């Protein structure tokens, strides 16, 4: 059991240093661990998030993604028995800012799942502008 708790402590140290938001969830979607980047997404104070997590608040009530209501990535990853990644997932940060995320859900065993959230909002905006410029250029070429 000591090896498991040591591995869990090591994983938490790695996640705390990560730029991406991360949570470790149990099978009932309760947050067992979250890093500071995750806290920032919720828009709540870290103490509020800690109290909600301690009370067993499910992840989708702390930080709601569009996929939470459509198709829970955690359930799909557990059913598949392998990590799943979803691109262009939309969410709202606690301060109301729209986000575009890459969400990865990785079953860890023993009913635990690691979810990470990478903010690609800026890259997504650049891609949309690039595609709009290409469309305008094609239209201009056709006009010529």
């Amino acid at each position: 059991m000591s090896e498991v708790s040591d591995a869990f402590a090591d994983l938490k140290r790695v996640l705390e240093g990560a730029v991406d938001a991360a949570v470790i969830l149990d099978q009932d979607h309760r947050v067992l661990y979250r890093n500071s980047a995750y806290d920032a997404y919720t828009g709540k104070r870290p103490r509020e998030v800690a109290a909600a997590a301690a009370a067993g608040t499910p992840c989708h009530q702390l930080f709601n993604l569009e996929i939470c209501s459509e198709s829970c990535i955690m359930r799909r990853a557990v059913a598949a028995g392998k990590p799943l990644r979803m691109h262009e997932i939309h969410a709202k940060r606690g301060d109301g800012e729209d986000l575009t995320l890459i969400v990865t859900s990785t079953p860890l065993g023993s009913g635990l799942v690691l979810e990470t959230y990478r903010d690609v909002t800026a890259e997504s905006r650049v891609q949309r502008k690039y595609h709009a410029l290409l469309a305008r250029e094609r239209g201009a070429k056709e006009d010529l």
Side-chain angles (χ1 to χ4, degrees), residues 10-102:
D10 288 343
L11 178 59
K12 289 191 315 187
R13 277 192 291 279
V14 168
L15 295 175
E16 196 51 49
V19 175
D20 295 340
V23 291
I24 297 175
L25 306 167
D26 70 9
Q27 60 198 11
D28 295 321
H29 302 265
R30 292 180 298 220
V31 175
L32 302 178
Y33 167 81
R34 82 260 177 244
N35 67 3
S36 56
Y38 182 84
D39 285 353
Y41 282 173
T42 68
K44 297 173 175 57
R45 292 187 177 102
R47 284 185 183 169
E48 291 177 83
V49 179
T57 302
C59 55
H60 63 273
Q61 289 182 5
L62 288 173
F63 179 56
N64 195 19
L65 306 168
E66 70 178 358
I67 58 170
C68 293
S69 58
E70 295 171 12
S71 174
C72 176
I73 187 172
M74 177 186 156
R75 284 194 187 114
R76 292 175 50 204
V78 168
K82 63 181 183 180
L84 292 180
R85 179 179 297 151
M86 297 182 78
H87 296 264
E88 300 285 322
I89 302 305
H90 298 285
K92 274 200 187 298
R93 190 179 2 234
D95 62 8
E97 180 183 352
D98 289 322
L99 297 172
T100 302
L101 305 170
I102 296 174

